[in-house]
Amino acid sequence: PGSAEPVDPLPRGGGESILVVDDEESIRRVIRSMLERHGYRVLLAGSGQEALALHGEHRGQLALILSDWMMPGTDGGALIKAIRAADPDIGIVVMSGNIGASTNHSSAANLVQGVLEKPFTLGSLLRSLSQALAAR
């Protein structure tokens, strides 16, 4: 028999509620499917404004926000600052296809627990969420 390296098991959620914010519906649906299969409850928002409204409705029930950085209207930076002002303890992870250009010049970048560069793998998504939840 082969002596394969042990596979690092993917971290699983324990029923935590995650708010996923992305202006692309297909991305929201894929992320929801991945997270629900791995033990998380998921709410979806298609804009920063929708995310702020959902955060207000579900405040105290949300464990973490996973938000795209580049969105029309209220972008990730503005969303993060607004959420942090209202809810200093919530975990926040941002996703972006161009992390360096978008986050280096923003004071919001130091308000998050994690940054995921798109495209990302299921493993990097789950590890990033697990680390952010542990850091809260």
Side-chain angles (χ1 to χ4, degrees), residues 27-108:
I27 291 174
R28 292 192 307 269
R29 284 199 318 256
V30 168
I31 292 173
R32 176 175 60 192
S33 174
M34 291 191 300
L35 294 181
E36 286 178 344
R37 281 197 315 263
H38 288 85
Y40 293 100
R41 293 181 25 231
V42 180
L43 290 171
L44 299 178
S47 69
Q49 291 297 349
E50 190 180 350
L52 288 170
L54 282 169
H55 174 264
E57 284 175 43
H58 298 275
R59 184 151 176 220
Q61 302 162 33
L62 294 171
L64 187 131
I65 295 174
L66 174 65
S67 178
D68 192 18
W69 189 261
M70 305 291 282
M71 294 184 290
T74 305
D75 71 359
L79 173 63
I80 289 161
K81 288 176 186 171
I83 296 284
R84 266 289 166 255
D87 192 351
D89 298 324
I90 193 165
I92 300 175
V93 173
V94 295
M95 334 172 252
S96 176
N98 191 357
I99 294 291
S102 56
T103 58
N104 281 351
H105 308 294
S106 172
S107 59

Side-chain angles (χ1 to χ4, degrees), residues 101-118:
S102 56
T103 58
N104 281 351
H105 308 294
S106 172
S107 59
N110 60 11
L111 300 176
V112 303
Q113 282 69 46
V115 178
L116 266 174
E117 188 153 7
K118 289 179 177 178

